[in-house]
Amino acid sequence: MIGVEPLRGLVFDFDGLICDTETSSYETAREIYAEHGVDLTRTQWQNRIGTHGRHWLADLETAIGPLSDRDALTERRRLAHHERLLAEEALPGVADFTKRAVDAGMLLAVASSSTAQWVSDHLQRLGLLDRFAAISTCEDGVPAKPEPQVYRLALEAIGVDSSEAAAFEDSPNGIAAAKAAGLFCVAVPNRMTSGLDLSAADMVIESFLELDLDLLRLHR
């Protein structure tokens, strides 16, 4: 039962939760849509957040037909997205909160729908990699969120039961995955997810600046 056991582990989403990779992901795609005379709306993109879905060019091809330069557009957007992310820092309060959690003896893990290299490279760049005892990702047949397996694997990797842990997410897909894995879930929306329905989370905060471990323990 949630809240009965002591808090031993914290499991974090990555994209949009530790670092805002999602705004750039949307903006670089929207720019390419605009070049072809098509508006890529925020609502269209929000449905993709936190999971794996249709190729990001699918809506463009629905509007104008098959693209002969699909691979070139994909690579150009990938490079632009990665370049912009080099300027992104950890989101407010993340660095301090994770340090305090590690200092308190918590075991930290990441559960992400992205790849392990993507997550570890960015955590290294942000100076946060050594704080995480495990990184669980949707590779090698692990289904993307909202399926819960990526969370279950993260908990298994750090040797913590779901009743002894809390999850942090920024999207409905992520919250659904965490809750299905039996975790208490804190929603921390970002610029891309702040307008979404995050009410399935157990707790919603504006940023990690609002949260300390005593407050987290109290709400569990």
Side-chain angles (χ1 to χ4, degrees):
M1 180 175 176
I2 288 176
V4 173
E5 300 297 332
L7 184 62
R8 297 180 52 230
L10 304 177
V11 188
F12 297 74
D13 178 42
F14 177 73
D15 291 290
L17 189 283
I18 291 175
C19 180
D20 183 9
T21 62
E22 291 170 354
T23 299
S24 169
S25 182
Y26 168 59
E27 290 178 346
T28 52
R30 183 178 60 177
E31 288 164 6
I32 288 177
Y33 273 60
E35 291 174 7
H36 293 79
V38 177
D39 180 36
L40 176 62
T41 68
R42 181 186 175 99
T43 300
Q44 282 175 286
W45 197 259
Q46 284 174 326
N47 293 330
R48 306 171 52 85
I49 294 175
T51 188
H52 293 165
R54 301 165 68 214
H55 193 280
W56 65 274
L57 283 170
D59 289 329
L60 179 58
E61 292 188 310
T62 297
I64 67 173
L67 294 160
S68 60
D69 57 347
R70 196 180 210 251
D71 290 344
L73 289 173
T74 298
E75 179 63 9
R76 178 155 66 87
R77 182 246 176 179
R78 184 188 71 82
L79 293 173
H81 177 39
H82 286 211
E83 182 177 356
R84 293 185 193 185
L85 289 183
L86 294 178
E88 290 289 342
E89 299 180 353
L91 283 164
V94 168
D96 184 57
F97 180 78
T98 53
K99 182 180 186 304
R100 285 185 281 116
V102 171
D103 289 346
M106 298 284 178
L107 293 165
L108 274 56
V110 169
S112 172
S113 290
S114 294
T115 66
Q117 183 171 357
W118 173 264
V119 173
S120 60
D121 285 354
H122 281 292
L123 288 175
Q124 181 69 49
R125 178 179 66 80
L126 297 169
L128 301 175
L129 182 60
D130 62 352
R131 300 182 187 181
F132 293 88
I135 295 174
S136 174
T137 58
C138 294
E139 297 173 277
D140 300 325
V142 177
K145 302 169 186 177
E147 297 299 320
Q149 189 172 347
V150 68
Y151 268 103
R152 291 173 178 156
L153 291 172
L155 292 170
E156 181 180 339
I158 59 175
V160 173
D161 188 79
S162 60
S163 64
E164 303 172 306
F168 301 92
E169 278 286 353
D170 68 288
S171 72
N173 284 316
I175 293 166
K179 295 302 297 177
L183 286 151
F184 179 93
C185 186
V186 180
V188 193
N190 57 56
R191 286 178 286 179
M192 288 299 297
T193 62
S194 59
L196 297 180
D197 180 7
L198 305 178
S199 60
D202 299 288
M203 182 179 178
V204 181
I205 59 176
E206 290 188 7
S207 80
F208 281 95
L209 295 172
E210 297 181 18
L211 190 64
D212 61 38
L213 292 173
D214 288 339
L215 179 63
L216 183 58
R217 292 187 183 101
L218 176 65
H219 278 271
R220 286 180 71 250

